[in-house]
RNA sequence: GGGCGUUUAGCUCAGCGGGAGAGCGCCUGCCUUACAAGCAGGAUGUCAGUGGUUCAAUCCCACUAACGCCCACCA
């Protein structure tokens, strides 16, 4: 046992304790308990800890620490993601500041620089996770581009290639003209846009006086038009199908075709077809064997396929110029306001350009069925269950997954091309072409989507492609905790690839939580400037406070969480409360004066404590983190501190006291690991709390009779306190109380609790009587279950105030009586409600009437004076 | 166009068939020797609206409204 600082200082405690855990190997799996593994959703190596991570990691750490206390063989694998585009962007930006481009550096040199950057800054996020208290096994730490993960990536790629589940093909993909790469469908963000719908005139080739009006949101793409289309059954245009129009601003002639794709109701029912720059148009073009004219380069700059005047212009400048030109030539028919959605890059928010290009794809539709079945059958469960639907919807309509990226930082595609045209896919670089024998092989320039390696994370981190002990022991992992925003990005792909390569699910449970938002409910982002930095909060209030606060906001329904600093303050205040009650414990232990036997309060708190264990267990089993936090908050503050500790000041039973307090520390440990570890040591407990054992419910300590007795005592103390406060009795002034009881039970409880009452209600003398010759005069009055309470107030009583107070009380009882009476006189209720409910209502009626009469009597007595 | 969610005290949110709750804020009184980051007491709600089911609805069902999110190739 040792001294405790008067002031709770989380910064010092947390740093020291974490270092000790890590150095002592407390995070490593221990014992021969049931394996419990989880893999961390790898944060971006370039990143800094944000609130989303803080929440994710807190929840996972709660589960990890809980299972460790339960005695499971617990492994939490940490790691970071190379985050291809994001990292490359960051490093490129750094070079741009020095006036250098990655092209100048060259691929090899650039990648070297990214690695150097990663070595320098990659530790930031993991050190921030340590600040938070994450009890991951750092000796298992992995990086998506480390040797093992890279081998796993090549293995998976080659196997899928062999099975035809990975292939190369030309498609219209989402192209980011700023990042210069293709993106997958889920990497596109859609944004509402107040745009225009421009109506353009396309004149008929054989009759310059006539024209068709074509509606478009993207006039600059008209140079890539290779047809205009109408609906085959559209009466308006029957005679025009097969004819030609002149493409505005050019002298090109393009056909008028008929295709079902066209919606007759929309605009004029005439659509320009631009196969190279629109996915739908591309399909139409294929059906009609239209030429594909690409009019932009990879930066969105118009190329030689546009008229000379436009060549070299950015797509947005080209739009402006085209509109001016069209207007001038009288080809701009009309302009409408038009609300549509534009697609943007999820990394740099540039407007994407749908572009035709050769890319690599994973045949997700083929991998989807087993992945769907695993969830449908309940093998994998979602918490809350409703998120299954998002998974099903996405997986059922899943499309080919574009996995090639035209950047440099990432896993290079393990495919080589020979000058003879042969395409070789191999885990290791091939020396010669097996077909022509040439050694002039060129590796594919592209790298893989970052999410490709993330999808392998549950087994690549455990040793795949080798058949390791870890893989055998910990796969499938226990569960995954993540926000709903990456169900499509990550969860679905892990399930699909896990099943394909391990023939088993990657995890049994998927725990989905809401997203952190600011006080107004807006998404937190750097650009909005509303992001709250968890590291700052930890510095100011401590990791325990932040963890407690985050966990307490997680609801069973998985709603988004609005974070306000005031909530973290409340969390910190709770830590402070725990800190101070620990100081009180130490003081009392140092006094070395203990009660010989358990008191009413002891038996009461032991019973309440069993229920606290039960509630905590239930909450954790269901992943109701908020419930867990709030139930413990309530038990510790409102029951243990407010009542038990206060009562124990009269005489403390050491064993009870320590049982409950040490139990509280262990129940809280998953939520607030640092403070509980610190106090655990200060109390002189053996070992560390991180490797202690989880409290078990001892049913023999449940004691409903004592709880009922305490309830009476608490009701009484509150009644007296209320009188004192309302009647302005000076806090220091002791009062005498007369209790006229009608139930022996109540009298017994109050008699047993006499000392508590004196201590907590400021009472000196307490008279328990079952008869009263005359009711005390000049006394404030209250009624509790089974007794009437009089607090004589000498001259202090304000008669009018007391009358008002009692009148209010009388009205309250009257309302209750009315309500209960309505029920009891309802024939349907008496006939159909369960007997238990009816009895309950009858009992209520009786006590309310009793109380009402007492108050009424008292009121009459006062007003008669 | 589909789907999901939310609407409860001034604010943030729990509760989800039988007496409306918490934290913060507010009012009153207290430095009571663990804690003023605290203690004690108090005020505050047509539980979004309308209908239905039920003996009984904040809770279940239907519709309506407002707000928010996700998905979808309508130029």
């Amino acid at each position: 046992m040792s001294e405790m600082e008067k002031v709770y200082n989380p910064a010092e405690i947390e740093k020291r304790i974490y270092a000790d855990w890590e150095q002592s190997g407390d995070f490593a799996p221990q014992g021969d308990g049931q394996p419990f593994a989880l893999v961390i959703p790898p944060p971006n190596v370039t990143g800094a800890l944000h609130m989303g991570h803080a929440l994710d990691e807190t929840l996972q750490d709660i589960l990890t620490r809980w299972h460790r206390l339960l005695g499971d063989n617990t492994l939490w694998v940490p790691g970071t993601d190379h985050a291809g585009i994001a990292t490359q962007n960051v490093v490129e930006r750094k070079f741009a500041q020095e006036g250098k481009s990655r092209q100048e550096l060259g691929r090899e040199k650039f990648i070297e620089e990214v690695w150097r950057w990663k070595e320098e800054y990659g530790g930031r996020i993991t050190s921030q996770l340590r600040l938070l208290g994450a009890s991951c096994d750092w000796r298992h730490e992995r990086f998506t581009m480390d040797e093992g993960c890279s081998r796993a990536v090549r293995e998976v790629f080659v196997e899928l290639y062999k099975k035809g589940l990975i292939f190369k093909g030309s498609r219209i993909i989402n192209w980011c003209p700023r990042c210069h790469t293709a993106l997958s469908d889920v990497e596109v963000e859609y944004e509402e846009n107040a745009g225009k719908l421009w109506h353009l005139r396309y004149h008929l080739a054989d009759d310059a006086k006539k024209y068709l009006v074509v509606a478009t949101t993207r006039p600059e793409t008209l140079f890539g038009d290779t047809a205009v289309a109408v609906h085959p059954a559209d009466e308006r245009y029957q005679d025009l199908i097969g004819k030609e129009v002149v493409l505005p601003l050019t002298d090109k002639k393009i056909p008028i075709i008929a295709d079902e794709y066209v919606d007759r109701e929309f605009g004029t029912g005439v659509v320009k077809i631009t196969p190279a720059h629109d996915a739908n148009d591309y399909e139409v073009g294929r059906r009609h064997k239209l030429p594909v004219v690409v009019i932009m380069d990879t930066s969105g700059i118009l190329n030689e396929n546009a008229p000379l005047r436009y060549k070299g212009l950015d797509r947005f400048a080209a739009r402006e110029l085209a509109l001016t030109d069209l207007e001038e030539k009288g080809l701009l028919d009309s302009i409408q306001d038009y609300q549509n959605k534009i697609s943007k890059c999820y990394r740099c928010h540039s407007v994407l350009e749908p572009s035709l290009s050769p890319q690599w794809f994973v045949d997700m539709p083929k991998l989807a069925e087993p992945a769907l079945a695993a969830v449908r059958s309940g093998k994998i469960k979602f918490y809350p269950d409703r998120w299954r639907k998002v998974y099903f919807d996405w997986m059922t309509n899943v499309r080919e997954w574009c996995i090639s990226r035209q950047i440099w930082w990432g896993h290079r595609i393990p495919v080589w091309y020979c000058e003879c045209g042969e395409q070789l896919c191999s885990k290791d670089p091939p020396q010669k072409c097996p077909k022509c024998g040439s050694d002039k092989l060129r590796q594919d320039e592209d790298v893989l989507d970052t999410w490709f390696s993330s999808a392998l994370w549950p087994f690549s981190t455990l040793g795949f492609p080798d058949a390791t002990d870890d893989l055998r022991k910990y796969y499938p992992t226990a569960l995954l905790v993540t926000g709903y925003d990456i169900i499509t990005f990550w969860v679905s792909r892990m399930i699909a690839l896990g099943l394909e390569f391990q023939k088993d699910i990657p995890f049994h449970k998927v725990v989905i939580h809401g997203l952190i938002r600011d006080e107004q409910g807006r998404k937190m982002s750097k650009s909005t400037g509303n992001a709250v930095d968890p590291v700052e909060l930890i510095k100011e209030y401590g990791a325990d406070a932040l963890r407690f606060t985050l966990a307490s906001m997680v609801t069973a329904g998985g709603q988004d969480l609005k974070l306000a600093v005031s909530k973290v303050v409340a969390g910190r205040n709770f830590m402070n409360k725990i800190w101070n009650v620990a100081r009180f414990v130490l003081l009392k232990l140092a006094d070395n004066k203990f009660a010989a036997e358990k008191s009413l309060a002891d038996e009461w708190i032991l019973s309440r404590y069993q229920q606290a264990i039960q509630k905590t267990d239930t909450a954790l089993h269901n992943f109701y983190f908020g419930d867990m936090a709030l139930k413990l908050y309530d038990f510790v503050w409102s029951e243990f501190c407010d009542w038990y500790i206060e009562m124990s000041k009269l005489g403390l039973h050491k064993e009870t006291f320590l049982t409950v307090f040490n139990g509280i520390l262990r129940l809280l440990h998953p939520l607030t690991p640092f403070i509980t570890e610190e106090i655990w040591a200060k109390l002189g407990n053996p070992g560390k709390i991180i490797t202690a054992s989880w409290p078990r419910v001892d049913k023999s300590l449940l004691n409903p009779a004592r709880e009922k007795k305490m309830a009476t005592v608490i009701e009484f103390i509150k009644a007296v306190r209320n009188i004192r406060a309302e009647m302005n009795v000076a806090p220091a002034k002791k009062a005498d109380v007369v209790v006229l009881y009608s139930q022996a039970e109540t009298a017994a409880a109050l008699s047993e609790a006499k000392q508590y009452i004196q201590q907590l209600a400021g009472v000196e003398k307490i008279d328990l009587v079952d008869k009263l010759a005359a009711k005390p005069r000049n006394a404030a009055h209250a009624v509790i279950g089974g007794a009437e309470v009089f607090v004589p107030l000498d001259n202090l009583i304000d008669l009018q105030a007391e009358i008002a107070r009692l009148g209010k009380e009388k009205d309250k009882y009257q309302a209750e009586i009315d309500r209960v009476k309505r029920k009891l006189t309802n024939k349907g209720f008496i006939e159909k409600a369960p007997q238990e409910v009816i009895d309950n209502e009858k009992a209520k009626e009786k006590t309310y009437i009793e109380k009402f009469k007492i108050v009424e009597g008292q009121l009459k007595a006062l007003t008669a004076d």
Side-chain angles (χ1 to χ4, degrees):
Chain A
M1 245 180 294
S2 47
E3 293 283 303
M4 277 178 76
E5 296 290 323
K6 231 178 154 169
V7 178
Y8 165 56
N9 176 6
E12 187 276 326
I13 298 167
E14 292 175 359
K15 196 176 156 200
R16 171 164 45 79
I17 294 213
Y18 197 91
D20 177 56
W21 283 330
E22 196 174 353
Q23 277 155 28
S24 314
D26 291 323
F27 300 151
Q30 283 163 34
D32 46 13
Q34 197 180 332
F36 176 89
L38 65 169
V39 292
I40 199 169
N44 291 355
V45 68
T46 61
L49 193 76
H50 58 61
M51 275 301 166
H53 294 127
L55 176 63
D56 254 356
E57 308 312 328
T58 295
L59 301 186
Q60 288 178 93
D61 197 44
I62 289 169
L63 296 171
T64 302
R65 287 176 184 274
W66 176 46
H67 278 272
R68 197 179 284 122
L69 290 171
L70 285 171
D72 290 346
N73 182 288
T74 306
L75 171 65
W76 187 15
V77 180
T80 47
D81 192 304
H82 66 280
I85 300 172
T87 306
Q88 173 156 328
N89 282 352
V90 169
V91 178
E92 262 188 288
R93 223 173 291 138
K94 191 191 116 194
F95 280 115
Q97 277 169 5
E98 298 163 16
K100 284 186 271 185
S101 74
R102 81 175 144 109
Q103 284 75 14
E104 283 170 53
L105 279 165
R107 182 165 190 150
E108 216 168 298
K109 190 87 203 309
F110 180 76
I111 290 174
E112 246 173 60
E113 290 294 334
V114 182
W115 273 107
R116 193 166 304 152
W117 196 89
K118 185 248 167 195
E119 293 312 321
E120 196 174 339
Y121 297 102
R124 178 176 55 179
I125 187 97
T126 51
S127 69
Q128 289 175 334
L129 284 177
R130 286 174 166 91
L131 289 182
L132 194 66
S135 64
C136 339
D137 186 2
W138 294 105
R139 289 175 305 187
H140 265 87
E141 183 179 353
R142 297 300 297 271
F143 176 53
T144 49
M145 270 173 69
D146 66 24
E147 182 44 36
C149 287
S150 301
R151 272 178 64 216
V153 164
R154 290 195 298 272
E155 176 82 20
V156 166
F157 188 98
V158 171
E159 288 304 310
L160 289 175
Y161 180 90
K162 279 189 200 154
K163 293 177 191 165
L165 293 169
I166 279 185
F167 60 89
K168 193 174 193 178
S170 262
R171 307 284 143 99
I172 297 272
I173 44 78
N174 307 293
W175 181 268
C176 177
R178 204 220 61 85
C179 300
H180 285 102
T181 182
L183 297 171
S184 68
D185 295 330
V186 287
E187 288 170 308
V188 179
E189 278 175 1
Y190 292 93
E191 200 173 278
E192 285 290 337
N193 175 47
K196 304 274 185 210
L197 193 56
W198 286 280
H199 290 74
L200 315 182
R201 294 175 179 175
Y202 283 45
H203 284 270
L204 291 182
D206 61 0
D207 185 352
K209 288 193 192 103
K210 289 188 180 161
Y211 56 83
L212 285 175
V213 176
V214 173
T216 180
T217 53
R218 303 201 50 199
E220 73 280 10
T221 63
L222 74 85
F223 304 119
D225 290 1
T226 52
V228 293
V230 297
H231 193 275
D234 195 329
E235 286 140 27
R236 292 172 292 182
Y237 306 114
Q238 281 305 312
D239 51 331
L240 297 176
I241 296 167
K243 289 191 170 179
E244 288 185 320
V245 288
V246 179
L247 193 57
L249 309 179
T250 73
D251 48 14
K252 246 175 99 176
K253 289 174 186 167
I254 55 171
I256 300 166
I257 60 169
D259 195 286
E260 304 270 347
Y261 157 71
V262 181
D263 178 357
R264 275 172 281 181
E265 309 298 317
F266 189 91
T268 54
V270 187
V271 190
K272 61 196 269 310
I273 302 296
T274 322
H277 298 281
D278 182 282
N280 292 310
D281 292 6
Y282 181 72
E283 289 307 314
V284 174
R286 269 178 28 152
R287 284 199 284 276
H288 296 269
K289 302 200 166 43
L290 297 174
V292 177
V293 178
V294 175
I295 61 158
M296 278 175 227
D297 68 9
T298 57
S299 300
I301 308 288
L302 270 68
N303 64 16
E304 65 282 356
N305 287 327
L308 199 58
R309 181 173 158 68
Y310 290 86
K311 195 187 153 190
L313 284 185
D314 173 79
R315 50 198 166 139
F316 299 111
R319 177 180 303 174
E320 293 310 312
L321 184 60
L323 288 168
T324 312
D325 288 352
L326 287 162
E327 171 94 73
E328 199 173 290
K329 293 199 157 61
L331 296 174
L332 187 54
D333 193 80
S334 61
I335 306 173
Q336 252 175 42
D337 284 332
Y338 187 63
Q339 192 72 23
N340 66 345
K341 282 191 175 144
I342 48 174
S343 53
K344 292 192 164 181
C345 173
Y346 84 136
R347 284 296 170 216
C348 74
H349 307 290
S350 301
V351 176
L352 295 176
E353 194 57 47
S355 300
L356 179 67
S357 91
Q359 301 287 345
W360 288 92
F361 295 89
V362 173
D363 191 348
M364 282 303 281
K366 284 227 176 79
L367 290 170
E369 195 35 54
L372 280 165
V375 177
R376 207 182 289 125
S377 70
K379 255 192 111 177
I380 297 177
K381 285 202 173 69
F382 278 73
Y383 296 82
D385 187 57
R386 69 184 164 91
W387 291 109
R388 284 169 46 153
K389 211 168 148 32
V390 172
Y391 174 83
F392 283 139
D393 288 350
W394 190 74
M395 215 44 158
T396 308
N397 304 305
V398 70
R399 284 176 291 166
E400 292 163 347
W401 173 16
C402 177
I403 51 167
S404 43
R405 298 289 178 273
Q406 287 64 48
I407 57 173
W408 290 346
W409 176 242
H411 298 282
R412 196 149 170 190
I413 289 181
V415 169
W416 284 261
Y417 305 99
C418 176
E419 50 188 356
C420 75
E422 186 67 0
Q423 178 174 299
L424 308 167
C425 179
S426 154
K427 288 172 216 171
D428 305 303
Q431 299 306 308
K432 274 182 188 160
C433 172
K435 196 172 168 196
C436 73
S438 164
D439 61 355
K440 288 199 177 127
L441 301 172
R442 184 177 49 80
Q443 187 173 3
D444 198 297
E445 295 291 324
D446 293 353
V447 301
L448 287 166
D449 182 359
T450 294
W451 296 98
F452 190 86
S453 51
S454 308
L456 319 183
W457 195 243
F459 51 93
S460 65
T461 53
L462 294 174
F464 177 88
D466 298 326
T468 60
D469 288 342
D470 275 356
L471 202 51
R472 261 191 302 277
K473 187 167 181 179
Y474 296 113
Y475 193 94
T477 63
L479 50 85
L480 176 83
V481 179
T482 190
Y484 59 76
D485 55 334
I486 59 174
I487 293 175
T488 52
F489 276 106
W490 197 43
V491 178
S492 60
R493 290 160 177 174
M494 280 193 289
I495 295 173
L497 290 178
L499 285 164
E500 179 69 17
F501 283 87
Q502 298 300 313
K503 303 294 165 227
D504 204 349
I505 53 173
F507 31 72
H508 292 101
K509 295 172 183 181
V510 181
V511 181
I512 301 289
H513 59 249
L515 270 30
I516 303 260
R517 296 176 175 277
D518 74 0
E519 245 166 307
Q520 280 109 50
R522 298 172 303 178
K523 232 178 203 168
M524 281 194 183
S525 77
K526 270 185 226 156
S527 49
T528 321
N530 63 343
V532 180
D533 181 358
V535 176
E536 287 298 313
L537 290 177
I538 289 171
K539 227 185 268 173
E540 174 105 36
Y541 303 104
D544 282 334
L546 177 63
R547 291 169 59 112
F548 183 85
T549 304
L550 288 173
S552 73
M553 297 194 307
V554 174
T555 65
Q559 308 308 340
D560 285 349
L561 301 80
K562 285 185 210 170
L563 181 77
V565 174
S566 66
K567 294 182 185 174
V568 186
V569 172
R572 190 275 317 267
N573 291 353
F574 183 46
M575 296 305 105
N576 187 245
K577 187 77 181 177
I578 294 166
W579 184 258
N580 278 295
V581 77
R583 288 181 51 224
F584 174 78
V585 171
L586 283 181
L587 285 173
K588 282 293 179 184
L589 291 178
D591 273 358
N592 214 20
K593 277 183 284 180
F594 304 108
E597 283 175 22
K598 281 183 197 158
S599 66
L600 169 62
D602 289 310
E603 286 174 352
W604 172 76
I605 199 68
L606 281 168
S607 183
R608 299 299 302 161
Y609 167 54
Q610 304 313 313
Q611 289 169 62
I613 300 173
Q614 235 156 25
K615 287 178 196 164
T616 308
D617 280 341
T618 305
L620 280 171
H621 277 291
N622 292 296
F623 309 110
Y624 295 164
F625 299 98
D627 215 37
M628 177 205 188
L630 295 174
K631 293 265 159 67
L632 284 172
Y633 181 95
D634 204 47
F635 175 64
V636 172
W637 201 312
S638 309
E639 296 187 27
F640 186 73
C641 292
D642 287 353
W643 293 104
Y644 177 69
I645 289 284
E646 290 307 319
M647 289 178 168
S648 76
K649 284 176 178 172
L650 291 166
L652 175 134
H653 187 257
K654 189 177 174 185
E655 190 207 323
T656 302
F657 195 66
L658 287 178
T659 300
V660 177
F661 191 57
N662 280 327
I664 285 172
L665 291 177
R666 283 175 295 152
L667 292 175
L668 279 170
H669 180 258
L671 282 171
T672 59
F674 294 109
I675 194 172
T676 50
E677 188 71 272
E678 175 76 354
I679 295 171
W680 185 261
K682 294 277 187 199
L683 287 175
N685 283 304
K688 287 186 217 168
I689 201 169
I690 187 174
T691 47
S693 63
W694 188 247
R696 310 273 161 165
V697 175
D698 180 349
K699 286 203 172 124
S700 72
L701 293 173
L702 285 170
N703 198 333
R706 296 314 242 172
E707 290 200 27
K708 198 173 166 219
K709 210 165 225 182
M710 262 299 273
T712 302
V713 174
I714 288 173
E715 189 189 4
F716 177 81
I717 292 173
K718 286 194 163 184
V720 176
R721 280 174 175 175
N722 174 279
I723 288 173
R724 296 179 58 110
E726 297 264 306
M727 303 316 292
N728 292 319
V729 178
K733 187 176 170 57
K734 294 282 177 190
D736 293 335
V737 179
V738 177
V739 179
L740 175 62
Y741 64 88
S742 58
Q743 286 171 28
E745 226 183 340
T746 303
L750 298 183
S751 165
E752 187 178 350
K754 196 171 165 189
Q755 282 185 295
Y756 300 151
I757 291 165
Q758 290 171 325
Q759 169 93 356
L760 300 180
V763 168
E764 179 70 48
K765 204 167 118 219
I766 168 165
D767 281 338
L768 289 162
V769 295
D770 62 351
K771 269 190 220 78
L772 219 46
K775 293 195 173 179
R777 297 184 63 84
N778 223 358
H781 178 269
V783 50
I784 65 167
E788 216 174 322
V789 182
F790 298 91
V791 183
L793 292 168
D794 309 332
N795 306 322
L796 291 171
I797 187 160
D798 176 339
L799 191 63
Q800 288 315 311
E802 176 70 354
I803 288 169
R805 200 176 63 84
L806 292 175
K808 234 166 54 183
E809 218 165 312
K810 193 181 117 186
D811 291 348
K812 196 179 79 191
Y813 292 133
Q814 184 65 60
E816 295 292 347
I817 291 165
D818 290 349
R819 193 183 52 73
V820 177
K821 273 237 159 71
R822 262 201 307 279
K823 273 190 161 179
L824 289 171
T825 53
N826 182 334
K827 230 176 87 192
F829 178 76
I830 298 299
E831 278 166 13
K832 297 195 177 168
Q835 195 54 45
E836 197 191 322
V837 175
I838 297 174
D839 291 346
N840 200 9
E841 293 296 321
K842 281 183 176 162
K844 276 189 230 162
E845 188 190 30
K846 200 178 144 221
T847 57
Y848 286 135
I849 289 176
E850 215 169 85
K851 289 185 175 183
F852 178 83
K853 280 186 178 157
I854 291 171
V855 173
E856 199 185 31
Q858 179 68 11
L859 211 42
K860 267 191 195 139
L862 288 183
T863 43
D865 285 347

